[in-house]
Amino acid sequence: MITQLLINSLVAGSIYALIALAMNLIYKASEIPNFAQGEMSMFSTYITFLLLTTFGYPFSIALTGTLLFAFLLGFIFEFLFIRRAKEPNLLGFIIITLGFQLVLFGLAGWKFGSDQRTFSLPFSETEILIRTESFVLTEHNLASIIIAIFVMAGLYILLNHTKLGLAMRASQQNVKAAKFNGIPTDRILGISFGISSVVGAIAGILVAPVATLDPTMMWDPLIKGFAAAVLGSLESLPGAVIGGLLLGLVENLFGYYVSLEFKSIVAFGIIMLVLFVRPSGLFQKHYIRKV
Amino acid sequence: MKLKKEYFEDVKFFRNRASAFWAMVLILTLVSFPFLFKTYYLSILNLMALNVIVALGLNILVGNTGQISLGHAGFVAIGAYTTAFLLQVGIPFVFTLILAGLITALVGAFLGIPSLRLEGPYLAIVTLGFGLAVMVIIGRMDVFGGRMGMSIPRIKLGWTGLKYDEALYYVFLLITIFMIFFAQNILKSRIGRAFSAIRDSDIAASVIGINLSYYKTLSFAISAFFAGIAGCLWALYLQFLTPGAFTLMMSVLSLATVVLGGLGSVTGSVLGAVVMTFLNLQLDKIVDLPVIGDLISGFSNAFMNPSGIANIKWVLTGLILIAVILFEPLGINGLWIRVKRYWRLWPF
Amino acid sequence: MTFLKVKNISKSFGGVKAVQDLSFEVHKGEIYSIIGPNGAGKSTVFNCINGLYKTDSGDIYMDEQKLTNFRPEQVAAAGIARTFQNLELFSHMSTLDNLLLGRHLKMKASIFQIAALNFRKSQAAREEVEHRRKCEEIIDFLELEAYRNLPVLSLPYGVQKLVELGRALALEPKLLLLDEPAAGLNNEERQDMIFWIKDIRDELGISLVVIEHNIQLVKDISDRLLAINFGQKITEGTVDEVLDHEEVITAYLGEPETDQKMR
Ligand SMILES: Nc1ncnc2c1ncn2[C@@H]1O[C@H](COP(=O)(O)OP(=O)(O)OP(=O)(O)O)[C@@H](O)[C@H]1O
Ligand SMILES: [Mg+2]
């Protein structure tokens, strides 16, 4: 049983980690918590659905199309709205992301109807790969874990071993200095939003078969992803991954040993607990403003 | 050379006779409303009243204290369910109302505790989680009918000699007017100033003697108190409660209301709530408008799913929200101040 | 007579030892100045006295009362007010509101009394009126009449500095800490500031501790002087003693810009 729990934790944790990563990519670049992120993933997932089911493209094309769409969605969001904020402050930015969330939510409901649709991927959540005495492993389980690892590795390489990654990290650390050194910081921010949106879209595609596709499908995963991000600190990418895995584990253990009913609010409990002990997450030092 | 000054001048609710006059006109209109219009409109006004009260409280927290809450639906729900429970047990309405406010305030104070240590985004996340958690917990509690919901008994208004709907309307009106005065007085007092001080510079605030923990908690409690009162009225308004009535969207829309109306001002909260409620009811009828309506339904038929057209209200609300931040960060109140300057002393 | 007593305080940030084992005493009715090059730890001393930073070790006393580990609002209640090096105003609020906030501790109306603020005779309204009167006195004292109802973010820098000073005075403190009161002021404004600082001591009887880079101002106002560098005391004494001290001169020679102000 414990093996099964670990598998479930790992799967859930991988997905949370992806959402948390998407969150942190933007937060690190702009200090904006992107509340539109859930809806952005949801909308991108609908695009996969559209390409796959309505247009009947093979999965590879549908996936490529989706990721392209997701990138543009993030980039355009930054370009059209975030960049144009008049008196940028945290509340203003949060409102903009919430506004965008409403727009996408409405568009999805308008275009796709608010009824739930089913969704089939090459890796099914019912096909069982391995079945033993103590656990079962489905295709979807394995795919989630592998894809998450791929995305993480990809991000690592992108940020640490490419010119773009260098520019991204430079503008995260000091926008003025980066600009001074000829880095187009605005465009870099747009690209960060794009990449974040792609990571979010992948998470959405992985969530959809389990949660069924409808405009509210990301509400719950989003808060979990957020919890994961907070757990590991909004400023740290490895923190996001560890936070995600930790949350998956705690949630599943809680669900099994304590109460299945209240499993879904464990995330909230964890956020409260962590923030109470360490107000900036587990992997970040609290900062005192200098006066 | 010292000019003699009337210090009470700044403290008064109405700065001059013109504004007092217009407020009287407005109140008289509202009082005579049931005799002029159909009951359907009363229910719209009731809805506006509810939203005004939520907005007043949320604005004190967000606009004045500079904290963020994405979980206000949770507070409203607590007020509503407290009311449902107390009314069913047979507690008189007046006590129920006050208790709904106070119990919600208590929960608000508890949620305020993490806010003592948390900065913006982290607080936003905690409150978001709170709003969702409240609904999960209420949905699992048998006293509250779980997912099935529970019905709210009517309150005793027979003694007024009015029809129930009309009497209820006056109850809403009275409570709303009181809450508006209350909010305004809070903001004009030392407490309101302390809130705004925390928003502008928490360091300076603590150095002049403001206890940050106490006032942040108080701000949460007051904000929740307003939401609790509104929740009580929600229960009466809906007559039947299900956990599904208090979603994340409700929290987001409350925040939208405050931003649209104007952060940090009572007038803003009132205007925002009135406009937002109106938009919410009217936006899905947008297809009935002459030219724009045809365009939209044409677009909808060609590219979208015509049956989902009600969702256009979310799209437009979202766009309005973004537009406010991009073009008029002070919201409707910003516009209103300009208009008011122009009309200041009319008709005196 | 000793009034403020700072005893062996230390404070470090990670590896940076901002203040090391520093002690000094301020007497009642005195204007005491602290000088030192940039990053010497002057502001940190204020922040420690204030309770904004928790000291790593050492103690702070005022009037025999131990202030160590007090929170900022407790320090304020003990009678210490301050201004900041880079203005910490309530910038969206009016000058009057900023001053009224200085009266916060002296006002007592509770949330329940406030509900009756509309009534002229209510406790809350009478209190409000009384404290407004007090603030008007400060507005007169600092000649801020013209800016009374304007949001402070729209005021010129020099005026903002005065508003901050006024807010500190509104607390009716026993001790006032001024962090670089003349920084960013032009010559004329600086002369006015010197005048006000003296007035605050002479007319209001408030003791002051002043951090300042401008040597002319320091010479003009100070009764005694403390020079620090790298968080440690170099020397302490009368203005002439300290400014002629060899180590003080070398400490400042490292910094050409301040050096010019010295001589
Ligand atoms: N909140 C903080 N976090 C980290 N380091 C700090 C903090 N406050 C002060 N320091 C460090 O402590 C040292 C002393 O700083 P402080 O501000 O006290 O200097 P100062 O004498 O006031 O200098 P200036 O003349 O520039 O105002 C500096 O090295 C500074 O970087
Ligand atoms: Mg300094």
Side-chain angles (χ1 to χ4, degrees):
Chain A
M1 197 59 226
I2 188 75
T3 326
Q4 186 67 58
L5 273 180
L6 284 180
I7 291 175
N8 293 350
S9 308
L10 199 57
V11 173
S14 307
I15 295 177
Y16 299 157
L18 289 183
I19 298 173
L21 274 175
M23 202 59 114
N24 285 12
L25 276 169
I26 288 183
Y27 190 80
K28 263 175 84 96
S30 59
E31 305 213 334
I32 301 172
N34 180 13
F35 287 99
Q37 194 193 305
E39 263 62 8
M40 287 164 77
S41 324
M42 175 272 292
F43 208 84
S44 304
T45 312
Y46 265 114
I47 298 294
T48 319
F49 168 79
L50 200 68
L51 294 174
L52 215 55
T53 314
T54 316
F55 292 103
Y57 287 120
F59 182 71
S60 55
I61 296 187
L63 182 68
T64 318
T66 303
L67 298 188
L68 220 67
F69 172 86
F71 183 84
L72 285 177
L73 185 67
F75 190 84
I76 290 172
F77 174 42
E78 194 278 334
F79 181 78
L80 278 186
F81 300 136
I82 297 290
R83 200 175 292 184
R84 268 149 247 285
K86 223 181 186 179
E87 281 173 31
N89 60 28
L90 180 68
L91 182 64
F93 282 133
I94 288 184
I95 303 286
I96 292 179
T97 64
L98 287 173
F100 194 56
Q101 179 209 1
L102 288 180
V103 171
L104 291 178
F105 179 75
L107 282 178
W110 192 2
K111 172 80 198 173
F112 304 105
S114 25
D115 39 80
Q116 306 182 340
R117 304 194 187 228
T118 47
F119 195 86
S120 61
L121 295 175
F123 34 91
S124 139
E125 72 283 6
T126 47
E127 282 301 314
I128 291 164
L129 284 180
I130 308 173
R131 181 198 294 274
T132 70
E133 285 284 292
S134 55
F135 71 94
V136 287
L137 183 75
T138 66
E139 281 181 7
H140 180 263
N141 286 160
L142 189 64
S144 301
I145 297 168
I146 292 177
I147 290 174
I149 292 174
F150 259 101
V151 173
M152 289 166 199
L155 278 178
Y156 180 81
I157 294 170
L158 176 80
L159 286 174
N160 291 300
H161 297 285
T162 65
K163 255 182 143 169
L164 175 64
L166 186 68
M168 279 170 72
R169 280 185 301 140
S171 27
Q172 281 163 12
Q173 266 153 24
N174 190 336
V175 181
K176 269 192 206 133
K179 207 175 242 161
F180 187 74
N181 283 308
I183 295 174
T185 47
D186 278 353
R187 205 182 317 151
I188 293 289
L189 187 59
I191 292 174
S192 302
F193 269 78
I195 294 175
S196 155
S197 173
V198 168
V199 175
I202 295 172
I205 295 173
L206 292 178
V207 167
V210 198
T212 69
L213 189 59
D214 78 282
T216 61
M217 74 173 216
M218 289 304 285
W219 287 8
D220 201 44
L222 180 73
I223 178 80
K224 305 283 176 56
F226 247 149
V230 167
L231 206 57
S233 145
L234 282 171
E235 318 239 345
S236 149
L237 296 182
V241 174
I242 298 172
L245 294 175
L246 219 57
L247 182 65
L249 187 67
V250 173
E251 201 184 53
N252 276 291
L253 291 181
F254 184 90
Y256 182 71
Y257 289 108
V258 187
S259 148
L260 201 56
E261 268 196 322
F262 290 103
K263 180 179 157 188
S264 56
I265 54 169
V266 170
F268 176 61
I270 290 184
I271 306 183
M272 294 282 275
L273 214 64
V274 168
L275 291 181
F276 206 74
V277 185
R278 292 189 62 99
S280 309
L282 291 174
F283 296 90
Q284 187 73 24
K285 268 182 57 190
H286 200 55
Y287 163 83
I288 321 169
R289 185 156 69 96
K290 213 165 127 181
V291 283
Chain B
M1 88 130 233
K2 203 162 170 262
L3 295 166
K4 174 146 174 37
K5 251 182 242 93
E6 233 296 35
Y7 297 113
F8 188 67
E9 203 60 35
D10 296 332
V11 183
K12 279 196 305 199
F13 190 84
F14 300 111
R15 296 231 165 178
N16 51 49
R17 289 163 78 184
S19 54
F21 172 79
W22 286 114
M24 278 343 266
V25 170
L26 181 66
I27 290 177
L28 283 178
T29 317
L30 288 173
V31 167
S32 50
F33 205 88
F35 306 107
L36 305 173
F37 297 98
K38 279 184 294 197
T39 332
Y40 167 69
Y41 292 107
L42 289 186
S43 119
I44 295 182
L45 284 181
N46 284 349
L47 199 56
M48 285 180 177
L50 296 170
N51 288 333
V52 165
I53 298 175
V54 178
L56 285 169
L58 186 58
N59 211 346
I60 289 176
L61 184 69
V62 177
N64 291 94
T65 320
Q67 308 293 302
I68 286 174
S69 168
L70 288 176
H72 250 55
F75 292 132
V76 178
I78 291 171
Y81 274 94
T82 308
T83 303
F85 178 75
L86 292 178
L87 284 182
Q88 278 198 345
V89 181
I91 311 276
F93 173 67
V94 180
F95 296 116
T96 301
L97 177 75
I98 294 170
L99 275 174
L102 290 181
I103 290 175
T104 314
L106 201 66
V107 178
F110 269 112
L111 188 67
I113 292 171
S115 80
L116 310 179
R117 297 161 57 97
L118 297 183
E119 306 269 288
Y122 292 91
L123 184 59
I125 292 162
V126 167
T127 52
L128 179 81
F130 164 78
L132 296 176
V134 166
M135 291 335 300
V136 172
I137 294 173
I138 288 180
R140 300 284 198 288
M141 284 172 75
D142 290 334
V143 237
F144 296 136
R147 288 186 182 286
M148 302 303 294
M150 70 191 295
S151 65
I152 318 293
R154 292 194 158 196
I155 57 173
K156 295 188 185 63
L157 292 172
W159 53 271
T160 55
L162 294 164
K163 276 190 279 177
Y164 183 75
D165 285 340
E166 289 172 7
L168 198 62
Y169 166 76
Y170 286 118
V171 170
F172 276 49
L173 185 62
L174 197 71
I175 294 173
T176 309
I177 291 175
F178 178 79
M179 295 309 270
I180 290 175
F181 270 87
F182 189 33
Q184 181 77 352
N185 284 348
I186 290 173
L187 294 185
K188 280 193 174 174
S189 70
R190 66 189 279 268
I191 295 179
R193 276 195 300 269
F195 289 163
S196 304
I198 293 173
R199 172 197 64 198
D200 282 0
S201 166
D202 52 350
I203 287 184
S206 68
V207 162
I208 58 168
I210 292 171
N211 184 332
L212 296 184
S213 322
Y214 177 77
Y215 279 93
K216 281 186 183 176
T217 313
L218 184 63
S219 180
F220 261 95
I222 290 176
S223 189
F225 177 79
F226 278 75
I229 297 286
C232 174
L233 301 187
W234 257 115
L236 298 183
Y237 176 84
L238 290 176
Q239 294 174 14
F240 191 85
L241 288 181
T242 53
F246 307 95
T247 58
L248 174 63
M249 276 303 166
M250 185 177 182
S251 299
V252 173
L253 286 181
S254 306
L255 198 58
T257 303
V258 171
V259 171
L260 175 68
L263 286 167
S265 108
V266 168
T267 326
S269 306
V270 176
L271 289 174
V274 169
V275 172
M276 200 62 149
T277 313
F278 183 77
L279 282 181
N280 231 322
L281 293 171
Q282 298 302 314
L283 279 182
D284 35 10
K285 295 191 196 131
I286 198 169
V287 275
D288 301 336
L289 287 178
V291 185
I292 311 170
D294 293 341
L295 278 176
I296 290 178
S297 48
F299 175 78
S300 179
N301 290 333
F303 300 106
M304 307 303 258
N305 186 346
S307 71
I309 196 149
N311 282 292
I312 196 170
K313 124 178 133 185
W314 301 116
V315 180
L316 293 177
T317 311
L319 288 177
I320 291 173
L321 215 51
I322 296 173
V324 171
I325 296 295
L326 296 192
F327 304 115
E328 180 62 76
L330 284 180
I332 303 177
N333 190 45
L335 297 171
W336 169 249
I337 286 172
R338 271 174 247 149
V339 176
K340 208 167 59 172
R341 212 169 274 151
Y342 185 74
W343 289 105
R344 173 152 290 164
L345 292 174
W346 196 79
F348 291 96
Chain C
M1 190 183 81
T2 304
F3 190 49
L4 175 76
K5 185 166 166 189
V6 174
K7 212 171 144 192
N8 307 100
I9 60 165
S10 301
K11 175 74 191 171
S12 36
F13 300 98
V16 182
K17 289 184 179 149
V19 175
Q20 295 179 60
D21 201 23
L22 185 74
S23 305
F24 64 91
E25 289 179 7
V26 179
H27 303 156
K28 192 152 209 155
E30 179 175 54
I31 300 182
Y32 187 86
S33 297
I34 302 179
I35 61 167
N38 289 111
K42 305 179 296 294
S43 299
T44 306
V45 173
F46 273 15
N47 291 338
C48 288
I49 297 177
N50 244 177
L52 285 173
Y53 295 165
K54 225 176 171 169
T55 49
D56 298 336
S57 63
D59 284 310
I60 296 160
Y61 300 88
M62 193 176 84
D63 254 357
E64 308 300 313
Q65 187 186 9
K66 190 168 169 182
L67 302 186
T68 322
N69 291 334
F70 266 29
R71 289 193 309 272
E73 67 270 14
Q74 295 173 305
V75 176
I80 299 183
R82 77 171 279 184
T83 64
F84 294 86
Q85 185 170 353
N86 297 309
L87 293 179
E88 287 289 334
L89 281 164
F90 307 122
S91 50
H92 297 280
M93 306 172 82
S94 69
T95 300
L96 181 64
D97 277 341
N98 269 271
L99 298 190
L100 277 168
L101 270 160
R103 311 285 306 164
H104 181 83
L105 279 174
K106 303 239 184 293
M107 299 175 78
K108 295 284 177 269
S110 72
I111 182 83
F112 303 106
Q113 292 172 318
I114 278 164
L117 190 64
N118 300 124
F119 303 103
R120 188 182 291 260
K121 293 273 157 55
S122 70
Q123 174 66 32
R126 273 185 293 150
E127 181 184 73
E128 192 72 24
V129 167
E130 175 198 323
H131 287 277
R132 272 164 200 265
R133 193 165 291 139
K134 187 78 200 172
C135 290
E136 291 306 332
E137 283 171 21
I138 294 170
I139 288 183
D140 284 346
F141 179 69
L142 296 175
E143 296 164 22
L144 288 168
E145 191 54 52
Y147 312 105
R148 186 176 183 274
N149 292 319
L150 297 177
V152 293
L153 85 176
S154 66
L155 306 180
Y157 188 79
V159 179
Q160 292 196 17
K161 281 235 143 181
L162 282 185
V163 175
E164 206 187 26
L165 182 62
R167 183 181 69 195
L169 289 177
L171 270 86
E172 297 183 49
K174 290 186 260 180
L175 177 70
L176 189 54
L177 314 177
L178 303 180
D179 197 347
E180 307 202 9
L185 300 187
N186 63 30
N187 245 330
E188 190 190 332
E189 289 169 333
R190 187 163 58 239
Q191 292 310 324
D192 288 346
M193 187 57 85
I194 291 175
F195 168 82
W196 270 310
I197 292 177
K198 287 180 171 165
D199 255 14
I200 289 170
R201 195 256 312 260
D202 298 340
E203 285 186 18
L204 306 178
I206 298 171
S207 318
L208 292 106
V209 183
V210 181
I211 294 176
E212 186 50 59
H213 278 302
N214 186 287
I215 293 302
Q216 181 233 331
L217 184 142
V218 169
K219 279 181 174 163
D220 262 13
I221 61 168
S222 313
D223 296 319
R224 286 188 311 135
L225 200 51
L226 165 73
I228 62 175
N229 200 8
F230 304 114
Q232 287 165 315
K233 183 192 282 190
I234 303 178
T235 181
E236 182 186 23
T238 64
V239 177
D240 291 335
E241 280 167 16
V242 172
L243 290 184
D244 285 339
H245 194 279
E246 210 167 310
E247 267 183 74
V248 175
I249 296 170
T250 21
Y252 271 94
L253 276 180
E255 279 194 39
E257 38 153 17
T258 2
D259 180 49
Q260 277 172 1
K261 286 185 210 149
M262 279 219 28
R263 293 285 133 181

